[in-house]
Amino acid sequence: MRIVLVEYYLTADHAVVFGCTADGAEPDLVTLPLPREEIRAWAATVHTASRSGAPELAALLADARMAALVAPVLRWSNADDLIYLVPHDVLHLLPLHAVPVNGETLADRNPVAVVPSTSVLRHAKPRTRRRGGTALIVTDPPTRRRPLVFAREQAKSVASGFRHPRVLSGGAASRTRLLALLGRRGMPTPDVVHFATHGVFDSSRPMRSGVELADGRLTAEDLLGFSLDVDLVTLAACDTGLSDRRPGDELIGLTRALLYAGARSALVTLWQVDELSTALLLRTFYDRLAAGLSKADSLRVAQRRLREQTVADVVRHVRTARSNLADDPVADALLLREEARLLVRAGDHEGAKRLLTTALASPRHPAGTAAELRVTLAQARLAARAPGRGWDTPAFDTPYHWAPFVLIGDWY
């Protein structure tokens, strides 16, 4: 596979883009009149929009300044070349793969991987592939936040693709247990470690960023003591790819800690992600890995497939999840709410109201979740005045759902 290495550097007055290929006589260089502070302000605007899933996120990513940063990459590469991006400064926090240029993004035409610096590439060289053997899956620990219903379905889907999966869920998904399993140097580690948990980025103390577990937070600081001879760590949680910047563009956070600990690659997120769309994206990602695709190609296919999922497709997935988790009244109520929202989006307002009315007539749902169902019922009644989008319209085609996922490190 042909590889195109693209490195960015922001100065006070310009953005410099370097392009390098193995068959090129020398690197190409493009200088753009984009001041560093202007790009930093734009990145802050993008992340404000991403926090709320605002519909203007797509327009922000399509801005001419963003397109100018990505356009050279499209000129230097052919379709299906592997693109290795090396961002600089605040560009680490932007989904450059999701910026459209002439109606096409890098994620549309190329597999993309990211490294925090070119020096990391020395440790990202493909070694003997280990895939499909062992996996450690950590899912839905009890916290003060709401339960991660689709994380349980996600865990089942991930586990089905490995010969020897180990699942830690509920109270077993603890920091103490993980430190015992992974924290000692010399102990065997699984091929893949998958976290389906809540994530936290601590901007004041980046090394305290991490994932919330049953007995506390597993932090970037914890990971520095690990010896992770693993192929992939997936952090299917919010904000796991965010890092603090230090002089020299050194990044401090979960991503750097994972690579330092020995993980060949990490799949992380740039902002707070939707639980349902995340479950669907990762199901495709692991299916493609099991079929023999590289990690970068699997992510590309998964992002494209998520954008194609129709409302009808997603309703079927939610109904399957309800059937699998029928013995859990809290999960059932949350899934009912998701199904009702999808019915409203499709235009089946009466179906949504019947579903919610029937659920509220049942005593099985706890008071808190019943209150959420009543709010959703009121919303469904108000939405009845507006036409739905239809069953065949895409459910998750906005960048908010597919763009935050970034593969860091080894692409293979």
Side-chain angles (χ1 to χ4, degrees), residues 108-392:
D108 290 326
R109 72 193 287 270
N110 297 92
V112 179
V114 177
V115 285
S117 67
T118 51
S119 61
V120 173
L121 287 172
R122 289 180 301 172
H123 308 288
K125 294 185 295 184
R127 296 177 289 195
T128 302
R129 175 183 272 191
R130 300 187 310 168
R131 193 160 297 157
T134 59
L136 178 61
I137 303 157
V138 185
T139 181
D140 195 21
T143 68
R144 284 179 286 185
R145 302 191 190 189
R146 68 168 229 177
L148 293 170
V149 175
F150 288 101
R152 302 175 207 174
E153 281 293 293
Q154 188 185 122
K156 291 181 180 179
S157 177
V158 174
S160 67
F162 292 86
R163 291 187 295 275
H164 305 291
R166 182 171 187 174
V167 179
L168 302 181
S169 64
S174 69
R175 180 178 179 275
T176 302
R177 189 79 173 271
L178 275 172
L179 289 174
L181 289 173
L182 299 176
R184 299 175 186 170
R185 295 188 181 276
M187 289 192 65
T189 53
D191 301 334
V192 171
V193 180
H194 179 98
F195 290 91
T197 63
H198 289 294
V200 176
F201 174 64
D202 188 333
S203 59
S204 62
R205 297 183 300 168
M207 292 306 292
R208 297 297 299 166
S209 301
V211 291
E212 300 287 11
L213 299 175
D215 57 350
R217 187 181 304 173
L218 181 74
T219 67
E221 188 173 46
D222 291 328
L223 292 170
L224 291 178
F226 285 13
S227 179
L228 292 177
D229 182 22
V230 300
D231 184 42
L232 172 68
V233 177
T234 297
L235 294 163
C238 299
D239 296 341
T240 51
L242 295 183
S243 302
D244 189 41
R245 289 178 290 106
R246 291 289 187 261
D249 202 41
E250 180 69 12
L251 294 179
I252 307 297
L254 275 177
T255 301
R256 176 68 71 173
L258 283 168
L259 297 178
Y260 180 85
R264 293 175 58 197
S265 56
L267 181 59
V268 299
T269 60
L270 296 179
W271 56 67
Q272 293 180 0
V273 292
D274 175 77
E275 190 183 348
L276 175 53
S277 58
T278 295
L280 290 166
L281 182 144
L282 290 173
R283 181 176 65 175
T284 303
F285 173 76
Y286 280 106
D287 282 348
R288 295 299 86 205
L289 276 183
L293 266 65
S294 70
K295 287 169 281 191
D297 276 309
S298 295
L299 179 58
R300 177 189 176 195
V301 171
Q303 288 174 324
R304 181 188 301 157
R305 174 59 182 149
L306 182 65
R307 295 162 70 181
E308 297 169 347
Q309 293 273 291
T310 66
V311 173
D313 293 331
V314 181
V315 167
R316 284 192 290 270
H317 178 80
V318 172
R319 287 173 176 169
T320 299
R322 279 188 61 202
S323 176
N324 291 340
L325 300 172
D327 58 343
D328 185 333
V330 174
D332 184 64
L334 294 174
L335 291 166
L336 274 166
R337 189 181 64 175
E338 291 291 345
E339 183 176 345
R341 287 174 171 174
L342 290 163
L343 293 177
V344 169
R345 191 183 305 185
D348 186 4
H349 303 97
E350 292 303 316
K353 288 187 284 187
R354 283 195 304 271
L355 181 69
L356 292 165
T357 301
T358 302
L360 286 167
S362 169
R364 72 187 302 257
H365 299 122
T369 54
E372 292 187 40
L373 292 177
R374 283 191 289 271
V375 170
T376 307
L377 177 58
Q379 292 170 340
R381 286 169 174 158
L382 288 173
R385 302 172 185 174
R389 296 177 60 187
W391 291 101
D392 294 329

Side-chain angles (χ1 to χ4, degrees), residues 9-31:
Y9 189 78
L10 302 184
T11 72
D13 301 312
H14 297 89
V16 183
V17 190
F18 302 87
C20 183
T21 60
D23 53 1
E26 59 185 21
D28 286 311
L29 183 148
V30 173
T31 301

